[in-house]
Amino acid sequence: MTETTKTHAILLSCGSFNPITKGHIHMFEKAREYLHKTGRFIVIGGIISPVHDSYGKSGLVSSRHRLTMCQLAVQSSDWIRVDPWECYQDTWQTTCSVLEHHRDLMKRVTGCILSNVNTPSTTPVIGQPQNGTSTIYQNTANKSVAIKLWGKMSESLGKICCVRPHMERYTFVDENANLGTAMRYEEIELRILLLCGSDLLESFCIPGLWKESNMEVIVGDFGIVVVPRDGADTERIMNHSSVLRKHKDNIIVVKDEIDHPMSVVSSTKSRLALQHGDGHVVDYLSQPVIDYILQSQLYINASG
């Protein structure tokens, strides 16, 4: 498949990120590597979307801190960004709502309809530049096609961003902004995929935890990429849910022949290490995140 005929994907990860760990970043990297190896996908970007403060999870620190830690964790990445939209809403948002928001946002920025797994778009998702400028697929020695595309889309997003005064370092798209003429790039198929660990996949099997209609949208319309943790049996998990069985073809499980140390890293382990002064915290968290936590005196007490 050529680069223009492969499915271009944006990986979206929702969660507490309390705090964000090396394991979270490893999940993005492993998923991108695996999707590229399939020969069917080009991952052009990753989005981290921390949950709203009203989620109600015990020990959840303020989104102000979690957004900052996430930003510090990805500051050296050229393809993963932090999006504060979910945190800025009036109340907690479902995963389904977050996915739909980003899908609709991409529609507005590109001026086209994004495809999904059930109804591939018959219109260009991203088309030729309207002003006649050269396409973004011209090769350069220093930047990959995927990064160039993500950068171009981010540039368009930046034209309609505004800043919340209490968190000046973060920007988000103003839903009421005048977009003017929509930018269109070379025609591709673009999908937003939910990136998660096997623990979230397993939560789909808990009766009453998820609305079935939301599960249908998440798995059926968008599709998910699962990076297993602790040797989880994803096949067994999927067989326990009628929705997961129904949309099994839309679930991509990242397979790894050996268990990577990062697959057992969690926010819970990181908080416990911080509370106990455990030096292994450097294995779980990046140094900029550790420095911020210590400076802000976060997770020192068992309450978070």
Side-chain angles (χ1 to χ4, degrees):
M1 298 176 73
T2 65
E3 287 185 332
T4 52
T5 57
K6 291 179 181 179
T7 297
H8 289 59
I10 295 173
L11 301 177
L12 171 66
S13 181
C14 300
S16 300
F17 301 102
N18 188 43
I20 187 169
T21 70
K22 291 180 179 180
H24 290 123
I25 305 303
H26 172 74
M27 183 169 67
F28 272 94
E29 298 291 352
K30 286 300 297 181
R32 181 173 71 159
E33 178 186 358
Y34 184 80
L35 289 175
H36 286 176
K37 283 182 178 179
T38 67
R40 297 186 294 120
F41 294 91
I42 296 178
V43 177
I44 65 170
I47 300 173
I48 292 173
S49 181
V51 75
H52 192 274
D53 285 341
S54 65
Y55 180 56
K57 191 172 184 178
S58 176
L60 185 68
V61 303
S62 165
S63 59
R64 176 173 62 89
H65 292 307
R66 289 182 289 115
L67 284 167
T68 300
M69 289 186 285
C70 287
Q71 188 65 33
L72 290 169
V74 302
Q75 61 185 350
S76 61
S77 175
D78 58 1
W79 71 281
I80 306 172
R81 70 178 180 86
V82 182
D83 190 282
W85 177 84
E86 189 176 350
C87 291
Y88 284 147
Q89 301 313 295
D90 293 333
T91 186
W92 169 77
Q93 301 293 306
T94 65
T95 300
C96 184
S97 296
V98 177
L99 283 164
E100 289 174 336
H101 161 74
H102 285 283
R103 178 195 61 197
D104 294 343
L105 179 58
M106 288 300 108
K107 285 183 188 178
R108 297 183 71 211
V109 171
T110 65
C112 298
I113 299 173
L114 274 72
S115 63
N116 61 38
V117 291
N118 289 333
T119 56
S121 175
T122 56
T123 59
V125 177
I126 300 180
Q128 202 70 16
Q130 292 182 339
N131 57 6
T133 58
S134 59
T135 69
I136 60 170
Y137 277 96
Q138 293 176 336
N139 291 326
T140 64
N142 299 323
K143 270 197 173 182
S144 69
V145 170
I147 297 305
K148 290 171 67 183
L149 176 56
W150 186 236
K152 200 71 174 176
M153 290 177 67
S154 295
E155 181 183 321
S156 294
L157 284 170
K159 293 177 181 178
I160 51 174
C161 282
C162 62
V163 179
R164 291 295 196 204
H166 68 285
M167 209 175 291
E168 60 273 11
R169 67 184 298 171
Y170 298 102
T171 58
F172 70 105
V173 174
D174 183 353
E175 298 294 335
N176 299 313
N178 179 11
L179 303 187
T181 303
M183 287 292 293
R184 297 175 184 270
Y185 310 115
E186 188 168 352
E187 183 178 338
I188 62 171
E189 181 186 355
L190 176 63
R191 279 174 56 190
I192 296 176
L193 299 169
L194 179 65
L195 174 65
C196 65
S198 49
D199 50 347
L200 188 142
L201 185 71
E202 197 159 15
S203 73
F204 284 146
C205 303
I206 301 175
L209 186 61
W210 293 81
K211 285 185 178 179
E212 188 165 319
S213 58
N214 283 355
M215 289 176 61
E216 285 282 350
V217 172
I218 293 169
V219 189
D221 288 352
F222 287 93
I224 60 179
V225 180
V226 183
V227 180
R229 293 176 56 181
D230 297 332
D233 187 347
T234 53
E235 193 71 25
R236 178 191 61 81
I237 294 171
M238 287 188 282
N239 286 333
H240 271 74
S241 164
S242 59
V243 175
L244 296 181
R245 287 197 304 272
K246 176 182 176 183
H247 299 293
K248 198 171 182 178
D249 290 343
N250 300 344
I251 302 172
I252 302 169
V253 178
V254 176
K255 298 174 182 175
D256 201 346
E257 294 180 357
I258 57 173
D259 290 331
H260 194 282
M262 287 297 105
S263 66
V264 297
V265 172
S266 69
S267 295
T268 300
K269 284 185 177 180
S270 302
R271 293 195 301 271
L272 289 173
L274 288 163
Q275 290 160 15
H276 296 134
D278 187 344
H280 285 100
V281 71
V282 297
D283 298 326
Y284 308 150
L285 308 176
S286 66
Q287 193 58 50
V289 172
I290 293 174
D291 292 342
Y292 181 83
I293 288 172
L294 295 177
Q295 177 188 348
S296 305
Q297 292 290 291
L298 303 176
Y299 310 117
I300 302 304
N301 300 317
S303 61

